[in-house]
């Protein structure tokens, strides 16, 4: 056994980690046993002097992981990692992010290539099935999704129960969860065919529900989907057309919508995806799981950030006020943060933000918006922040939400719909990750542990004796 000593802490009550390589036989599939080194990490409990060895696992790319699944059984200790900053909660082959280099891959394909050369339904197929479809598979998939876009006619009564001024995300959480009450024939998660139908229904129906949410909020008639349109064209049609006059979808705007959907389709084990996985780990039905993901996405630190960016730009109101807001964002006694900046994983320019910036210029150009005051503020804010030592030192770069709000506003969406559009796009990511988890043979319920800091056991005090 070879031990390389790393990060040793010698104070009593601390643990030392040593990296090692264990040479042993590993069986790879059906082939003969190969003699491959198995990496390990040795943990020394300085309080007792006991040593424990844990396997180190290697993915196809990315950081290695220490397999601590037997940690509690062997040491009687848990790990403590609030916010899961150092925890790989699952194995996944769907999406890979290298936050330092600003790389995002779906099933191995770079987001930049997908955004430029593919379309949203092709990306959906890729995320769900692991490979890009051939022409025949694509045709079949597009037909299936198109045929599932209508929602049960009775769903409209759900909408009518909401106040017209409800936040669209509140309506979406409720109506997506309610799908489970209408589609009983796709709730058996042990049946692969039912899982597939549920996946198709979710990808196809969430956009329809999102458009209905918008129509309800402005008091316009609901618009049915149209099968001859592409996914994104149909979404724009359901959202912006009215029965009184023909609506022609602008191809540049449809392409921009499609690109926005591609850019938001999946993002590894973020808060909402982890929520979907955790909800699904109890074997809850897929519609309930996706509703839980939508609830998590709503928060301003996650999907709600695109809405928050626009509110912030409006508040800044003038380029001359930028330095004051930059100053506030650096002040630890002020809760204000520069929305659309920073990311848990990206410590470099978010690759999605780059494409979003380009798309923003394309859309504003197409719509003839020469001087958008919000875009001017955004560009100047980005320029100043990227030169500021605070943002440089903390590696805070614009994220995907920084420019998306400006595009969506120019396209005619109200601010409150921005996170709904994120949910429309992310549904396929949630569904793909949920499916991957359910199909994992060793899948078990997610159940984190805790570092308890409350009172030890104590005797109950009757009411008349309490002070
Ligand atoms: N403005 C000012 N300071 C910031 C910002 C910001 N936007 N983001 C992070 N920081 C500071 C933070 O105060 C901390 O400073 P210190 O080390 O002195 O305590 C340091 O940078 C590290 O930040 P953190 O909060 O520990 O990082 P995190 O990984 O927990 O948070 C984040 C990531 C995205 C929640 C955070 O950067 C943030 O709140 N950004 C604004 C909201 C936003 O744009 N969210 C969209 C994320 S992308 C879309 C998505 O995936 O949902």
């Amino acid at each position: 056994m070879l031990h390389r000593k790393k990060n040793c802490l010698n104070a009593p009550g601390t643990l030392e980690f040593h990296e090692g390589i264990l040479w042993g036989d590993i069986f790879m599939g059906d082939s003969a046993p190969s003699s491959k080194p198995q990496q390990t990490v040795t943990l020394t409990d300085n309080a007792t002097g006991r040593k424990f060895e844990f396997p180190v696992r290697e993915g196809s790319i990315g950081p290695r992981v220490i397999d601590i699944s037997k940690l509690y059984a062997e040491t009687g200790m848990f790990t403590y990692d609030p916010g899961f900053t150092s925890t790989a909660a699952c194995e996944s082959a769907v999406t890979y992010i290298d936050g330092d280099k600003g790389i995002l891959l779906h099933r191995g394909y770079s987001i930049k290539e997908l955004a430029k050369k593919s379309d949203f339904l092709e990306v959906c197929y890729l995320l769900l099935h692991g490979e890009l479809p051939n022409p025949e598979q694509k045709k079949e998939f597009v037909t299936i999704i198109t045929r599932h876009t209508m929602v049960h006619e009775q769903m409209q009564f759900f909408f009518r129960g909401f106040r017209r001024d409800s936040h669209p995300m509140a309506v979406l959480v409720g109506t997506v969860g309610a799908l489970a009450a209408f589609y009983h024939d796709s709730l058996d998660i042990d049946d692969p065919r039912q899982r597939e139908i549920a996946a198709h229904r979710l990808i196809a129906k969430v956009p329809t529900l999102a458009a209905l949410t918008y129509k309800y909020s402005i008091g316009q008639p609901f618009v049915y989907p149209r099968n001859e349109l592409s996914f994104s064209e149909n979404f724009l049609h359901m959202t912006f057309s009215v029965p009184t006059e023909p609506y022609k979808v602008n191809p540049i705007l449809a392409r921009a919508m499609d690109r926005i959907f591609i850019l938001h389709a999946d993002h590894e084990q973020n808060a909402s995806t982890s929520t979907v996985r955790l909800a699904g780990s109890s074997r809850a039905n897929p519609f309930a799981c996706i509703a839980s993901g939508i609830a998590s996405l709503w928060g301003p630190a996650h999907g709600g950030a695109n809405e928050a960016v626009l509110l912030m730009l409006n508040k800044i109101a003038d380029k001359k006020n930028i330095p004051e807001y930059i100053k506030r964002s650096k002040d630890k006694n002020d809760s204000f943060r520069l929305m659309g900046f920073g990311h848990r994983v990206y410590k470099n320019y978010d690759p999605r933000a780059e494409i979003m910036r380009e798309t923003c210029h394309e859309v504003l150009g197409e719509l003839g918006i020469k001087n958008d005051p919000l875009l001017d503020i955004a560009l100047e804010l980005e320029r100043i922040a990227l030169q500021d030592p605070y943002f440089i030192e903390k590696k805070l770069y614009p994220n995907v939400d920084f420019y998306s709000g400006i595009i969506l506003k120019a396209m005619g969406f109200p601010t409150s719909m921005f996170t709904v559009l994120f949910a429309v796009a992310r549904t396929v990511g949630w569904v793909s990750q949920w499916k991957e988890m359910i199909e994992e043979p060793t899948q078990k319920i997610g159940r984190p542990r805790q570092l308890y800091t409350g009172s030890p056991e104590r005797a109950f005090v009757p009411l008349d004796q309490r002070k």
Side-chain angles (χ1 to χ4, degrees):
M1 169 85 51
L2 176 84
H3 281 311
R4 267 184 289 141
K5 211 168 169 179
K6 258 202 170 175
N7 295 337
C8 293
L9 305 166
N10 291 317
T14 59
L15 300 167
E16 287 184 6
F17 282 97
H18 305 264
E19 273 185 79
I21 296 177
L22 179 69
W23 289 84
D25 285 343
I26 312 183
F27 290 85
M28 311 275 284
D30 293 336
S31 59
S34 68
S35 201
K36 254 190 112 184
Q38 186 191 342
Q39 300 167 17
T40 62
V41 152
T42 304
L43 187 148
T44 308
D45 182 348
N46 282 344
T48 62
R50 288 177 68 204
K51 287 187 194 303
F52 308 92
E53 195 161 73
F54 296 98
V56 171
R57 298 187 54 195
E58 227 165 323
S60 41
I61 35 175
R64 297 172 303 157
V65 304
I66 306 171
D67 179 351
I68 53 146
S69 51
K70 298 208 166 51
L71 181 81
Y72 180 62
E74 292 184 10
T75 68
M77 284 184 273
F78 298 131
T79 53
Y80 178 65
D81 183 20
F84 310 118
T85 55
S86 300
T87 297
C90 61
E91 255 181 54
S92 181
V94 182
T95 291
Y96 173 76
I97 304 173
D98 184 328
D100 293 323
K101 295 196 183 123
I103 289 173
L104 167 61
L105 308 178
H106 291 319
R107 304 284 192 185
Y109 294 102
S110 109
I111 190 67
K112 291 186 187 172
E113 274 209 288
L114 290 173
K116 294 209 166 123
K117 300 180 185 166
S118 189
D119 61 56
F120 181 65
L121 279 189
E122 199 165 77
V123 173
C124 288
Y125 186 97
L126 174 70
L127 289 168
L128 271 178
H129 299 287
E131 295 298 335
L132 286 167
N134 64 28
E136 209 175 295
Q137 289 164 330
K138 181 163 178 184
K139 196 166 165 229
E140 191 191 349
F141 186 69
V142 170
T143 306
I144 290 170
I145 298 300
T146 307
R147 297 270 157 83
H148 275 299
T149 47
M150 275 201 299
V151 292
H152 195 291
E153 193 63 8
Q154 217 172 309
M155 280 298 291
Q156 58 169 293
F157 298 117
F158 269 84
F159 284 91
R160 304 211 186 279
F162 286 104
R163 283 171 53 140
R164 297 261 177 197
D165 61 355
S166 308
H167 193 288
M169 283 297 276
V171 179
L172 198 69
V173 172
T175 51
V176 170
L179 290 176
F182 289 94
Y183 300 102
H184 296 152
D185 58 343
S186 52
L187 297 182
D188 180 359
I189 63 166
D190 291 319
D191 177 349
R193 179 69 190 127
Q194 291 200 31
R195 289 201 296 271
E196 194 178 21
I197 297 172
H200 293 157
R201 282 184 168 147
L202 278 156
I203 295 166
K205 292 183 200 305
V206 171
T208 309
L209 293 177
L212 295 180
T213 300
Y214 174 64
K215 286 299 194 194
Y216 185 73
S217 74
I218 54 169
Q220 285 187 359
F222 292 155
V223 175
Y224 288 104
R226 270 182 36 199
N227 285 2
E228 78 278 17
L229 297 177
S230 75
F231 184 90
S232 294
E233 287 170 345
N234 181 48
F235 181 68
L236 293 174
H237 153 77
M238 290 189 295
T239 307
F240 294 120
S241 73
V242 286
T244 45
E245 54 191 67
Y247 174 78
K248 195 166 172 336
V249 184
N250 178 324
I252 306 257
L253 300 191
R255 179 70 197 131
M257 191 76 258
D258 208 63
R259 197 172 273 180
I260 291 173
F261 287 152
I262 293 174
L263 294 179
H264 288 87
D266 192 46
H267 212 229
E268 211 225 55
Q269 308 309 321
N270 54 81
S272 56
T273 303
S274 299
T275 304
V276 169
R277 279 185 176 259
L278 200 55
S281 77
S282 73
R283 310 186 71 69
N285 73 73
F287 303 104
C289 295
I290 302 309
S292 76
I294 296 172
S296 166
L297 187 75
W298 193 356
H302 191 10
N306 50 16
E307 184 176 346
V309 170
L310 219 69
L311 298 176
M312 177 189 75
L313 295 175
N314 273 310
K315 235 169 151 184
I316 295 176
D318 196 298
K319 283 201 265 187
K320 72 174 182 334
N321 300 326
I322 292 175
E324 178 201 330
Y325 280 89
I326 297 259
K327 194 167 161 225
R328 283 189 57 195
S329 76
K330 298 191 279 187
D331 180 355
K332 292 287 162 229
N333 298 316
D334 190 329
S335 61
F336 176 76
R337 277 187 169 199
L338 219 52
M339 299 315 286
F341 261 78
H343 199 275
R344 168 62 61 78
V345 182
Y346 293 117
K347 303 300 168 200
N348 202 326
Y349 212 99
D350 180 339
R352 302 168 301 170
E354 264 178 67
I355 307 164
M356 209 56 105
R357 198 177 201 260
E358 271 173 38
T359 309
C360 187
H361 287 291
E362 272 171 37
V363 167
L364 297 190
E366 172 64 18
L367 295 174
I369 303 173
K370 291 211 174 59
N371 291 316
D372 181 63
L374 293 186
L375 179 62
D376 285 351
I377 297 172
L379 288 168
E380 183 65 0
L381 188 61
E382 179 184 355
R383 192 189 65 76
I384 295 178
L386 290 179
Q387 290 174 1
D388 189 296
Y390 172 94
F391 287 86
I392 294 171
E393 188 208 317
K394 295 191 186 306
K395 300 187 176 161
L396 300 170
Y397 292 85
N399 60 46
V400 68
D401 292 318
F402 193 65
Y403 286 104
S404 60
I406 298 172
I407 310 178
L408 297 174
K409 177 177 166 275
M411 287 171 80
F413 290 100
T415 320
S416 59
M417 277 295 287
F418 292 179
T419 315
V420 168
L421 301 176
F422 195 155
V424 168
R426 185 55 59 85
T427 296
V428 66
W430 292 327
V431 168
S432 307
Q433 302 260 356
W434 167 82
K435 215 168 139 278
E436 182 183 62
M437 179 190 70
I438 295 294
E439 287 164 9
E440 166 70 47
T442 57
Q443 185 265 321
K444 50 172 129 170
I445 187 164
R447 176 55 170 94
R449 302 306 295 262
Q450 62 174 10
L451 173 64
Y452 178 67
T453 55
S455 167
E457 187 170 1
R458 50 184 164 163
F460 181 80
V461 183
L463 184 61
D464 59 1
Q465 292 170 30
R466 287 178 221 156
K467 290 188 190 116

